[in-house]
Amino acid sequence: MSVELFKRLGWFVLLWVAQVLFLNHIHLFGMAMPLLYVYFPITFHRGTPKWETLLWSFVMGLAIDVASNTPGLAAASLTLVGMLQSYLLELFVPRDSAENLEVSVSTLGTGKFVVLAAVLLLIFCLVFFALESFNFFDWLYWLECAGTSTLLTLVLILAIESVRRT
């Protein structure tokens, strides 16, 4: 077993516990909900096989769905993020960078990491809240939920990255 597998399992358990026990109970202004577990597929290394990213993302989403009683919402949304992560990452890294490049603020730079994380978070939140409401009758509320949840989660991810960097 590799050290990378144990690190990945540790992050999986840590983010799952934080989301299920603490963050699921936070709803700021009735809209913003921190969805910190999206940080999990964002940080996969550059050379990680796509099937592995998809599998980890689906299992994380399924674990969140089981604990949160949201059948399929997190699994579908997080699998989409896992699928898009490697393609979007290629837009932000130089072609000659290492194949096992770690996705973090220290390796990508603050600007590139924030844009990558914000795009993936926004896609996740738009899909998650669209599947949750399953209609576009109140589309303004849907956009407010997606936007505020994206911003709140991005702030939490940047807080983790600032601690991780030191």
Side-chain angles (χ1 to χ4, degrees), residues 100-128:
N100 62 347
L101 179 76
E102 181 182 354
V103 179
S104 67
V105 169
S106 60
T107 57
L108 289 180
T110 305
K112 288 181 180 180
F113 180 81
V114 167
V115 172
L116 174 68
V119 167
L120 287 171
L121 279 169
L122 184 61
I123 290 169
F124 175 83
C125 288
L126 286 172
V127 171
F128 183 85

Side-chain angles (χ1 to χ4, degrees), residues 2 11 30 101 115 120 156 161:
S2 70
W11 274 110
L101 179 76
V115 172
L120 287 171
L156 289 175
E161 280 293 316

